Amino acid sequence: SVFSLSVPLENIKCYGFDMDYTLAEYKSPDYEDLGFELLRDRLVSIGYPHELLHYTYDPTFPTRGLVFDTMYGNLLKVDSNGNILLCSHGFTFLKRSIQDYYPNNFIQRGNTDRFYILNTLFNLSETYLDGCLVDLFTRCSRYENCQKGFKHGDLFMSFRSMFQDVRDAMDYVHDTGSLKESTLRNLDKYVVRDLNLPVLLTRIKEVAKVFLATNSDYNYTEAIMKYLLETPPGAKYPKKPWRAFFDLVVVDTRKPLFFAEGTVLRQVDTNTGKLRIGTYTGDLQHGTVYSGGSSDIVCELLDVKGKDILYVGDHIFGDILKSKKRQGWKTFLVVPELAKELQVWTEKNHLFEELKHLDIFLYFLMWGTSPCVLQVVTYRMDLSYGQMGSLLRSGSRQTLFASQLMRYADLYSSTCINLLHYPFSYLFRAPPVLMPHESSGDNHPLDFPSPEFSVLDQIQKIAEAKV
Amino acid sequence: SVFSLSVPLENIKCYGFDMDYTLAEYKSPDYEDLGFELLRDRLVSIGYPHELLHYTYDPTFPTRGLVFDTMYGNLLKVDSNGNILLCSHGFTFLKRSIQDYYPNNFIQRGNTDRFYILNTLFNLSETYLDGCLVDLFTRCSRYENCQKGFKHGDLFMSFRSMFQDVRDAMDYVHDTGSLKESTLRNLDKYVVRDLNLPVLLTRIKEVAKVFLATNSDYNYTEAIMKYLLETPPGAKYPKKPWRAFFDLVVVDTRKPLFFAEGTVLRQVDTNTGKLRIGTYTGDLQHGTVYSGGSSDIVCELLDVKGKDILYVGDHIFGDILKSKKRQGWKTFLVVPELAKELQVWTEKNHLFEELKHLDIFLYFLMWGTSPCVLQVVTYRMDLSYGQMGSLLRSGSRQTLFASQLMRYADLYSSTCINLLHYPFSYLFRAPPVLMPHESSGDNHPLDFPSPEFSVLDQIQKIAEAKV
Amino acid sequence: SVFSLSVPLENIKCYGFDMDYTLAEYKSPDYEDLGFELLRDRLVSIGYPHELLHYTYDPTFPTRGLVFDTMYGNLLKVDSNGNILLCSHGFTFLKRSIQDYYPNNFIQRGNTDRFYILNTLFNLSETYLDGCLVDLFTRCSRYENCQKGFKHGDLFMSFRSMFQDVRDAMDYVHDTGSLKESTLRNLDKYVVRDLNLPVLLTRIKEVAKVFLATNSDYNYTEAIMKYLLETPPGAKYPKKPWRAFFDLVVVDTRKPLFFAEGTVLRQVDTNTGKLRIGTYTGDLQHGTVYSGGSSDIVCELLDVKGKDILYVGDHIFGDILKSKKRQGWKTFLVVPELAKELQVWTEKNHLFEELKHLDIFLYFLMWGTSPCVLQVVTYRMDLSYGQMGSLLRSGSRQTLFASQLMRYADLYSSTCINLLHYPFSYLFRAPPVLMPHESSGDNHPLDFPSPEFSVLDQIQKIAEAKV
Amino acid sequence: SVFSLSVPLENIKCYGFDMDYTLAEYKSPDYEDLGFELLRDRLVSIGYPHELLHYTYDPTFPTRGLVFDTMYGNLLKVDSNGNILLCSHGFTFLKRSIQDYYPNNFIQRGNTDRFYILNTLFNLSETYLDGCLVDLFTRCSRYENCQKGFKHGDLFMSFRSMFQDVRDAMDYVHDTGSLKESTLRNLDKYVVRDLNLPVLLTRIKEVAKVFLATNSDYNYTEAIMKYLLETPPGAKYPKKPWRAFFDLVVVDTRKPLFFAEGTVLRQVDTNTGKLRIGTYTGDLQHGTVYSGGSSDIVCELLDVKGKDILYVGDHIFGDILKSKKRQGWKTFLVVPELAKELQVWTEKNHLFEELKHLDIFLYFLMWGTSPCVLQVVTYRMDLSYGQMGSLLRSGSRQTLFASQLMRYADLYSSTCINLLHYPFSYLFRAPPVLMPHESSGDNHPLDFPSPEFSVLDQIQKIAEAKV
């Protein structure tokens, strides 16, 4: 299903798509496995201990949207105000000792020099590797544990430098093309080929304009899109070149820069994959591929206004926040984790219900007992998602990622293919968001004109009597 | 009532209060009347046409949180993404012509050089005056209407310069003290004296620390607080000096700077109202009044951590957003408009229900009719609040103010006195916010596994048949 | 005389003048006396010890262009690279102990939060008062001397807060108009009336356009200019209203903002001194006075290009650096101190010659003696100017002020009246600045092809033998 | 010779060296030839017309320190205030038409988004290539000349995109190592091996600490330094490993970042050239090579203060301005062009003398003739240096580069080897810089007390009579 704030599809005159993790869904956890191994091996090759090779990717540990504290080496799950929901050091989850690091249980998110948000699906293997490194050095008897890193003789491994090494390895793996190469060599293993994708794009193109805007380069884009659109065995639709599915193809977009001033727009020579020099200024020609440019140029070339575009992408910051905030586009966030999130939510909904009651009763009735029960249930619920819990919540509190999704995504779904289930005249409507005071007095248990007559106050009085 | 995200009052070790519009509620619309007249007369005294004197403050026009576009002179009501909900030019509400000014129905809120948010209750009279000026010159036959202002012979009145004149008049009225003087001369007319205020502060002080942090100067603070706390006729509590209600009093706080680096902390000579030179460095002395300082200094002097403080204020940016985002304080936003908002909401709830249904059915059933019906109902609902509609919503869409309230205020209420209705062991709990996909499938009409079996799709098909 | 980089007066099509300290020279030290007393009395009135009243302005102490270190309370004289030339704490000049404060004898000038440059002639009395305060508290037995200020019981007087109090007193004295009032009450005492000024302006107006651009308000400008231009007893020129001397008069210019985006241009009602509302857009009308605006607007109104304007002012930053760097104007810096600087330079030139020789010989011949001799002569030379030495140099090293003058001023002189001594076809030519390598080998004693044959090397060898 | 502001070598406790163009002088124009060819071929390989291959590097055209205007494609020579001294479009020098592009003959240097300063010796081949491209497209009949670039059918080649392509090619040539490879394959052709270099470093090391701080990576540094220091045929000094010449070797310094916050300091494994992981924290070990770090770390490791360091480099911004302004280091700028500059200066000094006289007399005597004579002599003088004239001046006016050299370099010379000619107890003394008013009245022709008695005024009167 597709979930939404209000978007009348009928008004959408133009659909834009990101490629990676949007049109091209990578198979999890195989693709993360691959990324992790390339990263890990790179670190060993630049001098990290060989013990690192014993680690393999564990998909049950990381959750997207965690924050790495480069000062203390902790992975943090936080809410939109910077309150800490969960904190791990290596693979050890901190409880009381969170206070030692963060006296106020709070981080100043604005301090981006210290706190790095691991926001994208590409960051998952990196997130896990950050955990592995802290785990490795913490356990390793050769190294002494210090506040800001590890010491071994004259050598100091700061958390900051370890984090930087992982980031650099990430760039290395992407820039040298080793990740792309491995992916292309084994497309069936790493990329989901959904026969409905050409169907969806064909249908959209009948009613609206369609463009592709990806940060990938042309050669990789060509290989992936060919695989997705041109060779589906047993496809019902007549075979046509992948570029024919789009009115406009733009590679090397450098989002989020693309949504601001952008870069020079160039034409791609589709025979060689190289850029043509100069800037193309003529009318839009079908099948032409461009490199660079900006969202403004796309609007101009396709002759559409921002509010008439629905842009589908997976990057909450680079694709969604920026296109909405700077350009007023309608946005569709692809959240592959959603399939699992929904499944857990449905299966474990009783835990959430339990939580809701515990929240209240724990505080009023069980003064004698510790609030641990609350934590235990939160923890049980979190574990249903994985060690780091849900992408979207921790117990009854929403994560930073969830709050950004709520603010900036008009639609979201686990895959863009789900659009196929809706007619193009469909009106997506969000359930109206009521503010606390707008919820009707009857069913809002805490909103009462005078405490004297409140049931909860009764409970309260009982609780006080018990003390 | 007090509405909230989750805050267990029991954990709060310290309560902080702003003064203006928080402890001291100004009587509406008398106080806005006063402000408007001072501003208006100032403008005439610096050369604006005498016709301006015919305008008197109309409390049914302005709503807090409007945005003034200094380029085109429009007052805008926008949502958190910058989409325009309502637009007036003078007192004329624009409909279709909004597109002429804002082709995408959208403003880049980040452009603070052009767009000014009239966020505080002090801004209400200013907001109305901005409307008056545009109205006056638009109607005045001596002036020619231009895109960015008005022309009269060699004189050009840009919207920007008019807006700047009003801002300067505002500073004049505050800095020369004429507003304060008038207020103090007629306290009963302008300031609400609630006998419960000393009760509330006394109760709080029994269980927690209490401080006052106001941007006002000492002399004004002294006069207002004396009136509120020392002389209540028929008060039940033994009379005591107003400063005895607080553990710490800080004036001249210069919020929002106060929540960042702050200024030098000085002692106030309470006999003369003048600042002592130098910085006070000793222990906190009861009854001492300070000037300047910062939130960090307050925490130090009172020996509390940020998360243990509940700060009560009326300024969404200066009091609430900053204290939460930079310091991790718990926040309580006073929204005097809430009393009226609740009343309208209750009385006109049928309109909102109607709107919910119209939203859906209009799109699916009534292709032949214009979407005007939707607008008409939205408009009828808006008018119940005033010409500019509700502070918090426009039809089914939330305003920027509402979205900021939801993000940054842990609690909100029409007055801080409402705290009196809750025991200090109270747990304020927000109704759990569910994300769209978490609402259970059954009662979410638009979320269906396959469109074939959907009732709405049936409607859709009927609609298509009608075309 | 007027000193210069190359400026052909003939090409100048427009002359602009600042008023304060440019057309209106204030009598020194009477005017500084007045400023000092107003500042000092203000400080006492806000709580500073009455002992402060014993201090009177000493014109031999301060030099313009000093830097106040708000951390340690020192007055510093620095060169353009931030190297310290002189350092006083109160009235005590530091020698060796400079190293304790500034280990590298160097300040990072870019740190404007800590280091404040006292650049204008208005700053002279402030500079001296900063010295007085440090002197007072250092001597006062009630106060304990600390690194960053003084302590007295629970009270801490930081250097930073003292400095801020003086700055605030400065604003108070200017904003309340007390300085202006006192000046206008006693014009003959405080303002130089040079009968040549109307002559100069009349002559210029015959060959070029003339404008006045002052940060002062209209009423003060009117009073001062009337005094300077309208009532000269025994003037040869026919009496005419002061505004007739200019093609354009602009008050409230808010330089340096004036040289960047500026403010709204308004007309001044010369009968009431009040601003007209709106912006004047017509052709330039003679005798009209404007408020605000920007340098771009001035160029437009007068129809001249930046390079055709010679702007005469006294503020190295606000008048000269900004007009040159942002607008490419030609600049004329008025440096009233120059009269004295020239006199000392002429009288004490032997000291400078001595210094030149000492510089060399001290290092090569007198290993046994301390380099104090060099310092002694520098000191003797400095003292001829005053306690803080010359505005422009310390011994053989140039001050920051001098280097800025050299970079940004095309012409400079002690008074703009000196322009009268030059025909308007005059070519001001700077002596060509040779770079060290361009000075011919013969008279550059240190530039020799091979050290074997150098006389200095001989000396060197002798010196080594002596060791 | 070495030219200077005052630096007593005796006080220098530590010498730091950059490598490229400082210890390793590249042979001109062979090295620029190489760079040009690599750049040019790269451009053709990405699609630029094959006609570009006809261009070969012309060392007589470019001068270092030119500014490229990315809007209009012009190469500009400017003075420190942004006044234009020379302007070429391609290889065509503009005269009158400069005004069409720059109405005020002036650029706002601060606008770094538009104006790019080609400051380093590496930029020389790039500068020439920028000229070639403009020349090629201007002449090419297929392309239409537009204001901001060239048009060919639907293709628009903006000057900005051409410039960006050259910059990208530059990065390509450096990052792929093709320039380094070619250099290392032919060291004798491209790198000057001065047998005095090991002598100089050995002598310095006897009296002070020595470090190398280069932006190059370890492998390239190793190859170059080995060549320069280890294998000199017929060297008098006993052979020793190159690292033994230094107390500290730092590669990958990322100047100018190195002089600010810097990067993580790592150890280099000198066997493999790879970085060790972690940060080295022990005492300085001789022969150890580090990567990254900052100037603060260097001071700490070597236990020296900034003012005791003389840093020798070739990059006016990255090496000299930053080390002086942020750290207070003493600086020595290597200016290889100086050898030629001095030679021309000496040979053509008569032209400069002529210029000095022309400057004056042209304005006073030859009203009837055009000021062209002045321009002709300036031009003849400029041509003696090359087409773009001297690095340091244009006629009697100094370039931006010269003014920066004067402000930030304590010493400068064509090569650091020249230090060998001075004893380490040497006092470099700048000829005292006199300000215009300090030059004695007698020999300053334009400074006269009253114009009546001036010789020049006589000339002036004659000139006026002639009109």
Side-chain angles (χ1 to χ4, degrees), chain C residues 215-414:
Chain C
N215 281 2
S216 285
D217 62 38
Y218 179 70
N219 289 329
Y220 186 70
T221 303
E222 158 99 355
I224 293 288
M225 294 310 296
K226 239 188 165 89
Y227 173 73
L228 291 177
L229 296 177
E230 291 193 5
T231 55
K236 286 176 277 183
Y237 279 78
K239 207 168 152 173
K240 59 177 174 180
W242 71 270
R243 293 200 302 270
F245 285 87
F246 301 97
D247 293 284
L248 177 63
V249 172
V250 194
V251 299
D252 307 319
T253 46
R254 299 193 51 197
K255 294 172 279 180
L257 188 63
F258 180 76
F259 291 110
E261 66 270 31
T263 55
V264 168
L265 183 81
R266 310 240 165 136
Q267 223 177 315
V268 176
D269 182 331
T270 50
N271 294 317
T272 62
K274 289 186 178 172
L275 300 191
R276 295 246 162 81
I277 60 164
T279 310
Y280 181 73
T281 59
D283 288 341
L284 186 63
Q285 285 175 320
H286 211 81
T288 311
V289 179
Y290 300 89
S291 161
S294 69
S295 54
D296 285 339
I297 293 176
V298 162
C299 286
E300 217 176 280
L301 283 172
L302 293 170
D303 191 25
V304 287
K305 285 178 190 165
K307 71 186 169 76
D308 301 333
I309 298 175
L310 179 67
Y311 186 68
V312 187
D314 70 296
H315 194 327
I316 187 72
F317 184 80
D319 290 330
I320 302 306
L321 179 150
K322 283 294 165 185
S323 63
K324 168 146 292 298
K325 221 168 162 180
R326 303 228 11 175
Q327 305 293 341
W329 289 15
K330 298 278 178 288
T331 55
F332 181 128
L333 182 67
V334 173
V335 188
E337 296 97 328
L338 206 60
K340 173 129 198 237
E341 295 272 333
L342 261 170
Q343 182 202 335
V344 175
W345 180 259
T346 313
E347 285 172 21
K348 308 284 171 166
N349 201 261
H350 62 279
L351 283 176
F352 189 74
E353 290 301 316
E354 199 175 325
L355 216 51
K356 281 204 288 192
H357 290 95
L358 274 171
D359 261 28
I360 302 169
F361 286 104
L362 268 173
Y363 276 84
F364 292 111
L365 293 174
M366 298 180 235
W367 302 98
T369 72
S370 90
C372 273
V373 183
L374 183 65
Q375 281 174 19
V376 164
V377 181
T378 297
Y379 185 59
R380 272 175 58 204
M381 196 176 160
D382 275 6
L383 273 188
S384 319
Y385 293 95
Q387 293 181 58
M388 275 294 188
S390 157
L391 171 66
L392 303 165
R393 53 171 67 246
S394 176
S396 56
R397 294 161 78 189
Q398 287 187 347
T399 61
L400 171 58
F401 188 92
S403 75
Q404 289 186 324
L405 182 157
M406 297 283 273
R407 286 182 72 197
Y408 300 113
D410 293 308
L411 302 174
Y412 66 101
S413 182
S414 61

Side-chain angles (χ1 to χ4, degrees), chain C residues 108 393 421 425 447 451 460, chain D residues 1 326 421 425 438 451 460:
Chain C
Q108 274 201 353
R393 53 171 67 246
H421 303 144
S425 55
D447 175 21
Q460 163 75 19
Chain D
S1 308
R326 303 229 10 176
H421 303 144
S425 55
E438 293 171 341
Q460 163 76 19

Side-chain angles (χ1 to χ4, degrees), chain A residues 151-395:
Chain A
K151 216 172 153 52
H152 175 213
D154 282 337
L155 189 86
F156 184 67
M157 285 295 305
S158 68
F159 295 119
R160 175 178 281 278
S161 74
M162 277 170 27
F163 175 75
Q164 193 54 51
D165 284 337
V166 176
R167 294 258 69 212
D168 291 349
M170 195 79 180
D171 289 344
Y172 178 86
V173 160
H174 275 92
D175 294 350
T176 59
S178 58
L179 180 63
K180 287 175 182 172
E181 248 172 62
S182 306
T183 309
L184 295 183
R185 239 185 289 115
N186 220 337
L187 279 170
D188 285 330
K189 182 170 182 196
Y190 295 124
V191 183
V192 175
R193 178 153 59 183
D194 191 321
L195 295 191
N196 278 323
L197 185 59
V199 181
L200 174 68
L201 292 177
T202 303
R203 285 212 191 146
I204 294 179
K205 207 156 177 292
E206 287 162 6
V207 298
K209 290 167 181 168
V210 192
F211 70 90
L212 177 71
T214 174
N215 281 1
S216 284
D217 61 38
Y218 180 70
N219 288 328
Y220 186 69
T221 303
E222 158 98 355
I224 293 287
M225 295 309 297
K226 240 191 166 85
Y227 173 73
L228 291 177
L229 297 176
E230 293 192 5
T231 56
K236 288 176 275 183
Y237 280 79
K239 209 168 152 174
K240 59 178 174 178
W242 72 271
R243 292 200 301 272
F245 285 86
F246 301 97
D247 293 285
L248 176 63
V249 172
V250 194
V251 299
D252 308 320
T253 46
R254 298 190 56 196
K255 292 171 282 180
L257 187 63
F258 180 76
F259 291 109
E261 67 269 32
T263 58
V264 168
L265 183 81
R266 310 233 167 144
Q267 223 177 317
V268 177
D269 183 331
T270 50
N271 295 317
T272 63
K274 287 185 179 172
L275 301 190
R276 294 245 164 81
I277 60 164
T279 309
Y280 181 74
T281 60
D283 289 340
L284 185 63
Q285 286 175 320
H286 212 82
T288 311
V289 180
Y290 300 88
S291 161
S294 68
S295 54
D296 285 339
I297 293 176
V298 162
C299 286
E300 218 177 280
L301 283 172
L302 292 172
D303 192 22
V304 287
K305 285 177 190 167
K307 70 185 168 80
D308 302 332
I309 298 176
L310 178 69
Y311 186 68
V312 187
D314 69 296
H315 192 326
I316 187 72
F317 183 80
D319 289 330
I320 302 306
L321 180 152
K322 283 293 165 186
S323 63
K324 167 144 295 292
K325 219 168 162 180
R326 303 225 16 171
Q327 304 295 340
W329 290 16
K330 297 280 177 288
T331 55
F332 182 128
L333 182 67
V334 174
V335 188
E337 295 97 329
L338 206 58
K340 173 132 197 236
E341 296 270 335
L342 261 172
Q343 183 202 334
V344 175
W345 180 258
T346 312
E347 286 171 20
K348 309 282 170 167
N349 201 259
H350 63 281
L351 284 176
F352 190 73
E353 290 301 318
E354 197 175 326
L355 216 50
K356 279 204 289 189
H357 289 96
L358 275 171
D359 262 31
I360 301 170
F361 286 104
L362 269 172
Y363 277 84
F364 293 111
L365 293 171
M366 300 181 232
W367 303 97
T369 72
S370 89
C372 272
V373 183
L374 184 65
Q375 280 174 25
V376 164
V377 181
T378 298
Y379 185 59
R380 274 174 58 205
M381 195 177 163
D382 275 7
L383 274 188
S384 318
Y385 294 94
Q387 296 182 55
M388 275 294 188
S390 156
L391 171 66
L392 303 167
R393 54 171 64 247
S394 177

Side-chain angles (χ1 to χ4, degrees), chain D residues 379-404:
Chain D
Y379 185 59
R380 273 175 58 205
M381 196 176 161
D382 275 7
L383 274 188
S384 318
Y385 293 96
Q387 293 181 60
M388 274 294 189
S390 157
L391 171 66
L392 302 166
R393 54 171 66 246
S394 175
S396 56
R397 294 161 78 189
Q398 288 187 345
T399 60
L400 170 58
F401 187 93
S403 74
Q404 290 185 324

Side-chain angles (χ1 to χ4, degrees), chain C residues 156-218:
Chain C
F156 184 67
M157 288 292 309
S158 68
F159 294 120
R160 174 176 283 275
S161 73
M162 276 170 30
F163 175 75
Q164 193 53 50
D165 284 336
V166 176
R167 293 259 69 211
D168 291 348
M170 196 77 180
D171 288 344
Y172 179 86
V173 160
H174 275 91
D175 293 350
T176 58
S178 60
L179 180 64
K180 288 176 182 170
E181 249 172 63
S182 305
T183 310
L184 294 182
R185 240 185 288 117
N186 222 336
L187 280 169
D188 286 330
K189 183 169 180 196
Y190 295 124
V191 185
V192 175
R193 177 153 60 184
D194 190 321
L195 295 190
N196 278 323
L197 184 60
V199 181
L200 174 68
L201 292 177
T202 304
R203 285 211 190 147
I204 294 179
K205 207 154 177 295
E206 286 162 5
V207 298
K209 290 165 183 168
V210 193
F211 70 90
L212 176 70
T214 174
N215 281 2
S216 285
D217 62 38
Y218 179 70

Side-chain angles (χ1 to χ4, degrees), chain B residues 306-323:
Chain B
K307 70 185 168 80
D308 302 333
I309 297 175
L310 178 68
Y311 186 69
V312 187
D314 69 296
H315 193 327
I316 187 72
F317 184 81
D319 289 330
I320 302 304
L321 180 152
K322 283 294 164 186
S323 62

Side-chain angles (χ1 to χ4, degrees), chain A residues 1 108 326 425 438 460, chain B residues 108 326 393 425 447 460:
Chain A
S1 307
Q108 276 201 351
R326 303 225 16 171
S425 54
E438 293 171 342
Q460 163 76 19
Chain B
Q108 276 201 352
R326 303 222 20 169
R393 54 172 64 246
S425 55
D447 175 22
Q460 163 75 19

